[in-house]
Amino acid sequence: MEDLNKRKKEIEKDIQGIASLAMLKSAFKKYLGKQGLINRLFRSLTDLPITQKKEQGRQINLIKIATEQALEKKEIEIKDKAREDTIKKEKIDITRPAEKKEQGHLHILTQVQEEIITIFQSMGFSTVAGPDIETEWYNFDALNVPASHPARDIQDTLWLEKEKEQDNRSNLLLRTQTSPVQVRYLEKNNPPFRIIVPGRVYRNEATDASHEVQFYQCEGLMIDKDISVANFKAIISSFLKRFFGTEIKTRFRPGYFPFTEPGFEVDAKRGNNEWMEMMGAGMVHPNVFKAAGYVQRDWQGFAFGMGIDRLAMVKYKIDDIRLFYSGDLRFLKQF
Ligand code: PHE
């Protein structure tokens, strides 16, 4: 009897100390398994006289029940604790500041292009587009640059057809300027109007700090009954002031373009105190109207073509045009 009470206490103490499911499993085997302690105790009864057997058997049975209950209780305890631990571990602190996700942004040239569009829009210009792949006709002939004209050589051209056809309307090239859209727009729309045409242009030339084989221009065209050079100066001065602020110096000087008469160039002063050409411009040449199918000389106006890259270079003090296209994040992230 004494012995069994002691056993019971030992078992209880042992189960109290269980701290894992693995320990629980081995304790189960140790006490309640086929070869476990309880069964061994039951088996030892055979040697006892019948009078003791009954009482001892009852006691062992109580120990068995108590052990089962203690193990069951322990199992629930361990499982509850494990659940609590995971909840604690996986708890999300919603007050903790979130990590900043790195966000992309518009390329500096796209930003500048959007700024140009916004400024001209406020002056009543609408934005139109033309094809990057042009015909020889729209890119040159219609702009008063016939095949024999030396001005053809000013803009080295990337031709798309190997063999040049006789018909200059079917010879394809990558546009060297946005000016062909002047003719395309004049053909399809009746003046008065004012438009800008931002887009890519291509030149077959060696690259350096201020030249790329591909860059951006923004063409402008304003046509009405009595548009003059004064209107051009007013519009462009207003644009430059808004784009650069007042601190940048600009100058207008005569320039030659076959599709203008007269023609101008507009320069801006760079950080290094050198003038940089920002755009070509001028009054639209009568031959351009003629090429677009205008018979009477009812309309006149000005056109300009500004280099978006160059505007960006002056405004943001960038000294090499090639940086725009380098994909160098150290450069791009500054803007
Ligand atoms: N297309 C000219 C160039 O690329 C610029 C220009 C546009 C000049 C319109 C006059 C008028 O150099």
Side-chain angles (χ1 to χ4, degrees):
M1 294 287 271
E2 198 55 48
D3 187 32
L4 283 179
N5 262 333
K6 219 177 117 204
R7 281 273 193 220
K8 195 171 169 228
K9 291 233 169 69
E10 275 168 14
I11 293 172
E12 273 167 7
K13 211 177 146 211
D14 189 27
I15 291 177
Q16 267 317 306
I18 290 176
S20 70
L21 283 176
M23 280 169 83
L24 192 80
K25 207 173 154 194
S26 65
F28 190 91
K29 203 173 157 202
K30 181 172 157 196
Y31 298 120
L32 299 172
K34 231 175 176 178
Q35 306 302 325
L37 178 72
I38 308 284
N39 272 342
R40 267 187 283 131
L41 289 174
F42 274 129
R43 278 197 293 272
S44 68
L45 290 181
T46 29
D47 305 331
L48 291 178
I50 189 86
T51 44
Q52 284 180 36
K53 211 184 246 178
K54 214 173 163 196
E55 180 53 20
Q56 285 282 73
R58 203 179 63 84
Q59 294 289 337
I60 296 169
N61 205 37
L62 285 178
I63 295 177
K64 186 186 171 194
I65 290 167
T67 306
E68 280 170 350
Q69 283 175 347
L71 283 172
E72 218 168 281
K73 207 177 131 208
K74 198 70 196 176
E75 185 179 352
I76 292 168
E77 221 178 275
I78 289 172
K79 284 188 171 162
D80 278 354
K81 176 137 191 319
R83 197 176 311 120
E84 259 169 48
D85 284 352
T86 26
I87 288 170
K88 232 183 258 162
K89 228 181 9 214
E90 292 173 5
K91 191 176 159 194
I92 295 168
D93 178 2
I94 56 163
T95 65
R96 213 178 92 196
E99 272 168 42
K100 273 235 172 70
K101 275 255 159 57
E102 193 168 342
Q103 261 191 333
H105 67 280
L106 294 178
H107 190 280
I108 178 63
L109 287 177
T110 309
Q111 293 180 46
V112 167
Q113 182 175 310
E114 288 188 351
E115 201 183 342
I116 294 169
I117 292 172
T118 305
I119 296 172
F120 276 106
Q121 234 161 33
S122 76
M123 296 191 283
F125 285 72
S126 39
T127 308
V128 307
D132 286 28
I133 295 174
E134 258 303 0
T135 62
E136 185 177 10
W137 164 258
Y138 281 113
N139 196 80
F140 289 122
D141 301 75
L143 289 166
N144 200 30
V145 192
S148 57
H149 200 286
R152 280 274 172 119
D153 304 330
I154 297 173
Q155 299 176 357
D156 287 321
T157 307
L158 288 156
W159 296 93
L160 289 176
E161 305 291 78
K162 277 202 205 101
E163 299 289 335
K164 288 202 14 177
E165 307 277 334
Q166 280 309 303
D167 179 8
N168 57 15
R169 289 184 190 257
S170 51
N171 284 329
L172 296 178
L173 48 79
L174 291 176
R175 67 178 176 191
T176 59
Q177 49 190 353
T178 42
S179 301
V181 189
Q182 286 184 36
V183 185
R184 287 183 176 275
Y185 197 81
L186 278 165
E187 282 178 341
K188 297 242 161 70
N189 299 274
N190 295 318
F193 56 72
R194 42 182 99 176
I195 57 160
I196 54 165
V197 188
R200 264 179 223 252
V201 298
Y202 309 81
R203 303 267 173 101
N204 186 13
E205 55 186 23
T207 62
D208 62 30
S210 42
H211 295 90
E212 253 293 359
V213 290
Q214 172 253 281
F215 54 99
Y216 289 84
Q217 279 190 341
C218 182
E219 196 78 7
L221 184 64
M222 181 172 182
I223 306 293
D224 207 331
K225 289 265 185 245
D226 47 12
I227 297 291
S228 68
V229 175
N231 296 108
F232 165 68
K233 280 199 92 167
I235 294 269
I236 288 302
S237 299
S238 164
F239 165 76
L240 292 170
K241 205 170 280 169
R242 282 183 60 185
F243 182 78
F244 285 122
T246 40
E247 64 276 10
I248 292 247
K249 282 206 177 67
T250 53
R251 69 176 182 194
F252 294 72
R253 58 188 169 83
Y256 169 72
F257 302 97
F259 36 96
T260 63
E261 181 55 40
F264 312 100
E265 283 176 31
V266 181
D267 302 334
K269 205 162 215 175
R270 307 217 295 176
N272 60 8
N273 238 11
E274 272 172 30
W275 291 104
M276 190 187 212
E277 190 191 329
M278 293 287 100
M279 72 184 84
M283 300 304 291
V284 178
H285 196 288
N287 286 351
V288 176
F289 283 107
K290 217 186 274 173
Y294 290 59
V295 189
Q296 281 162 313
R297 297 186 61 172
D298 295 334
W299 303 102
Q300 61 185 43
F302 64 78
F304 59 82
M306 46 178 82
I308 295 180
D309 306 66
R310 292 186 168 198
L311 288 169
M313 286 169 79
V314 170
K315 180 163 178 169
Y316 297 101
K317 301 187 170 63
I318 297 158
D319 54 17
D320 196 322
I321 190 173
R322 291 168 294 195
L323 283 167
F324 292 125
Y325 308 98
S326 65
D328 187 337
L329 290 178
R330 290 168 306 175
F331 169 74
L332 295 172
K333 277 182 174 167
Q334 298 175 79
F335 308 103

